[in-house]
Amino acid sequence: MAKRLIVGVSGASGAPIAVELLRQLREHHPGIETHLVVSRGAELTLRQECGMDVEELRALAGVFHKNDEIGASIASGSFQIMGMVIVPCSMKTVAGIASGYSDNLLLRAADVCLKERRKLVLCAREAPLSTIHLRNLYELGRMGAVILPPVLTYYQRPESVEDMTRHIVGKLLDQFGLDCPGFRRWEG
Ligand SMILES: Cc1cc2nc3c(=O)[nH]c(=O)nc-3n(C[C@H](O)[C@H](O)[C@H](O)COP(=O)(O)O)c2cc1C
């Protein structure tokens, strides 16, 4: 299988997690070709939470796809990839994937992952979660997606938000068998 990973970024809170994930991939896994697709909502959260524009995020990725380019390579099941992570994943994007309503490239790429039975990891974020959100996440879990919300973890004694962020990134990369230096596992 080709060493390519799709990184989708949607408009939920948590843009710094996407930035850190791309940095980790670039620094520690240069052999993996990252394919980045960013939603319109994510452009806003990126600016609000990181003070960054899409161009700066794009510089961290291997290949960048515009979200309206529905004919891009990652829109096809014949384009070989390891899988896709959507980080953060908004409830609108969750709803789009759960219903198969693929009206942008990010949604289409996720849809392809499901139909090809490839790994799809959703760093889904909202609080509190409505019954609609829970139903969609439940359905996606049943369809094989990994629901990995960016929840706080205290057992590794984080000293900063960056520590917390790195821990979530470590868990996301773990889903693809990729190491994340500094990710502290529970050893009992
Ligand atoms: C600053 C900010 C934070 C947001 N946080 C969340 C969130 O945590 N979860 C969520 O589902 N939507 C959140 N939203 C709303 C989504 O961005 C909005 O529903 C958008 O249409 C999602 O579209 P997308 O999935 O195509 O990015 C937030 C919006 C803004 C501006």
Side-chain angles (χ1 to χ4, degrees), residues 136-187:
N136 286 336
L137 289 167
Y138 168 75
E139 291 295 346
L140 284 168
R142 279 172 54 93
M143 291 173 209
V146 175
I147 313 299
L148 202 161
V151 292
L152 303 177
T153 308
Y154 294 93
Y155 59 76
Q156 85 282 26
R157 302 265 181 107
E159 290 176 2
S160 62
V161 178
E162 288 72 26
D163 280 356
M164 288 262 192
T165 302
R166 212 165 304 115
H167 189 73
I168 294 160
V169 168
K171 290 191 81 98
L172 291 169
L173 291 178
D174 229 24
Q175 286 295 321
F176 298 93
L178 300 172
D179 285 338
C180 175
F183 175 55
R184 283 162 47 203
R185 295 173 191 282
W186 178 251
E187 305 285 355

Side-chain angles (χ1 to χ4, degrees), residues 32-49:
I32 293 181
E33 186 178 88
T34 52
H35 285 251
L36 175 66
V37 56
V38 180
S39 77
R40 186 93 179 82
E43 290 182 31
L44 293 178
T45 50
L46 199 58
R47 187 156 309 126
Q48 171 68 27
E49 299 182 333

